């Protein structure tokens, strides 16, 4: 059965010295056999150094985004092969901040997903609805559209090397969390869609929940049947809260 994954998205936070002390404290606090796999996504410029600090640990390195193109005249962009070269294993694609603040369309997200997998890296495909979409009853419609946009170009086999993250936009960085019922409802919907396409192997796909996950709410959210870990922003910037998130007990 799949092991949960807890991923820390540092967004545009940190300095070299803050990262070093965060990681040292985090590694000190981790139990020998954490209940979940762990991953951190620092800003691009800190990937290499963070990767070196994580060498010989069980904490994986992830990037927050990737260029859809493999190489060339794309000023300011970072390719999948560069991410592989500095030790990344995962890449976030379609984070709502990329979609909303930088205008990333479903089609671009799909190309980034492909660019990630082309390097053997694992995309963490983020999907989720805005408050307005939820309140107008369109949550599953939006999530389905975001999933289909990727799977229609990647093909279903791509699910064998992918993680999905359900992140309701209204819960990201707001302190508002989806209730366990709200989270499970959308996770179950995603699982069902994946099963229709991918058969029973869809049970193995990790579907993370993201949106103001904290040590206080992690157990109740992770207890949901179809929640297989978390994508965490704010709480991943403090070693004590992040370490607690990997140590939650899964009770079903
Ligand atoms: C995120 O960045 O994906 C996220 C869920 O942030 P936060 O935990 O701060 O809501």
């Amino acid at each position: 059965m799949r092991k949960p994954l807890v991923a820390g998205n540092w967004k545009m936070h940190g300095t070299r010295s803050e990262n070093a002390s965060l990681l040292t404290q985090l590694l000190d606090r981790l139990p020998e056999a954490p209940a979940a796999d762990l991953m951190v996504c620092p800003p691009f410029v800190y990937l290499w150094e963070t990767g070196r600090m994580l060498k010989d640990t069980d904490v994986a390195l992830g990037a927050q985004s990737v260029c859809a193109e493999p190489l060339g005249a794309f000023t300011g962009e970072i390719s999948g092969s560069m991410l592989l070269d500095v030790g990344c294993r995962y890449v976030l694609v379609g984070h709502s901040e990329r979609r909303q603040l930088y205008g990333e369309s479903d089609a671009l997200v799909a190309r980034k997903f492909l660019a990630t997998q082309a390097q053997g890296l694992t995309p963490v495909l983020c999907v989720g609805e805005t408050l307005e979409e939820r309140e107008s009853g369109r949550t599953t419609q939006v999530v389905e559209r975001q999933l289909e946009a990727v799977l229609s170009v990647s093909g279903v086999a791509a699910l064998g090397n992918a993680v999905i993250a359900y992140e309701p936009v209204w819960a990201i960085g707001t302190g508002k969390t989806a209730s366990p019922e709200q989270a499970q409802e959308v996770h179950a919907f995603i699982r069902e869609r994946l099963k229709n396409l991918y058969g029973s192997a869809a049970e193995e796909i990790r579907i993370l929940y993201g949106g103001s996950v904290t040590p206080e709410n992690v157990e109740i959210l992770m207890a949901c049947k179809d929640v297989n870990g978390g994508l965490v922003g704010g709480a991943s910037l403090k070693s004590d809260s992040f370490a607690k998130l990997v140590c939650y007990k899964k009770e079903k």
Side-chain angles (χ1 to χ4, degrees):
M1 210 39 194
R2 54 189 126 75
K3 189 173 180 190
L5 171 67
V6 176
N9 175 12
W10 292 357
K11 310 194 187 192
M12 199 170 71
H13 292 290
T15 62
R16 292 178 65 204
S17 69
E18 284 168 359
N19 298 345
S21 76
L22 173 59
L23 285 177
T24 310
Q25 290 171 31
L26 177 67
L27 293 170
D28 266 6
R29 287 170 200 262
L30 288 182
E32 283 219 346
D37 289 334
L38 189 57
M39 187 248 287
V40 293
C41 301
F44 284 134
V45 289
Y46 299 130
L47 280 170
W48 169 247
E49 195 168 37
T50 304
R52 287 179 71 99
M53 285 187 260
L54 296 177
K55 195 167 177 288
D56 300 326
T57 74
D58 292 329
V59 183
L61 188 66
Q64 298 176 18
S65 186
V66 66
C67 183
E69 304 296 337
L71 85 172
F74 300 102
T75 303
E77 291 292 297
I78 306 289
S79 71
S81 60
M82 291 171 184
L83 298 179
L84 183 67
D85 198 28
V86 296
C88 286
R89 280 181 45 204
Y90 295 90
V91 181
L92 305 184
V93 296
H95 190 281
S96 66
E97 286 152 18
R98 300 296 318 171
R99 292 180 191 263
Q100 296 206 311
L101 303 176
Y102 298 96
E104 290 193 7
S105 62
D106 287 341
L108 180 59
V109 171
R111 291 177 57 228
K112 290 188 172 208
F113 184 97
L114 294 181
T116 301
Q117 287 197 332
Q119 297 300 326
L121 298 164
T122 303
V124 178
L125 172 63
C126 304
V127 297
E129 81 289 0
T130 62
L131 188 57
E132 191 260 316
E133 288 163 340
R134 171 164 283 270
E135 287 178 347
S136 57
R138 287 182 290 140
T139 297
T140 53
Q141 192 187 322
V142 169
V143 167
E144 180 162 28
R145 189 202 74 224
Q146 292 170 333
L147 281 176
E148 294 299 320
V150 171
L151 295 176
S152 62
V153 297
S154 68
V156 173
L159 288 170
N161 178 31
V163 174
I164 311 290
Y166 168 57
E167 297 208 298
V169 178
W170 47 272
I172 297 179
T174 58
K176 286 187 201 153
T177 315
S179 67
E181 294 74 25
Q182 287 171 322
Q184 171 56 25
E185 187 183 18
V186 182
H187 280 240
F189 171 79
I190 295 172
R191 180 90 58 210
E192 211 40 50
R193 292 295 304 146
L194 301 182
K195 269 202 227 164
N196 290 342
L197 297 163
Y198 201 50
S200 58
E203 289 294 352
E204 298 305 315
I205 299 169
R206 295 192 277 200
I207 309 176
L208 315 184
Y209 168 79
S212 300
V213 177
T214 64
E216 289 68 45
N217 60 30
V218 67
E219 288 199 20
I220 187 163
L221 285 163
M222 299 303 140
C224 298
K225 179 172 172 292
D226 289 295
V227 176
N228 316 117
L231 178 52
V232 186
S236 72
L237 295 170
K238 294 207 180 84
S239 61
D240 56 344
S241 57
F242 198 29
K244 280 184 198 148
L245 295 184
V246 231
C247 300
Y248 71 85
K249 300 223 174 8
K250 181 103 177 159
E251 281 161 25
K252 284 190 179 172

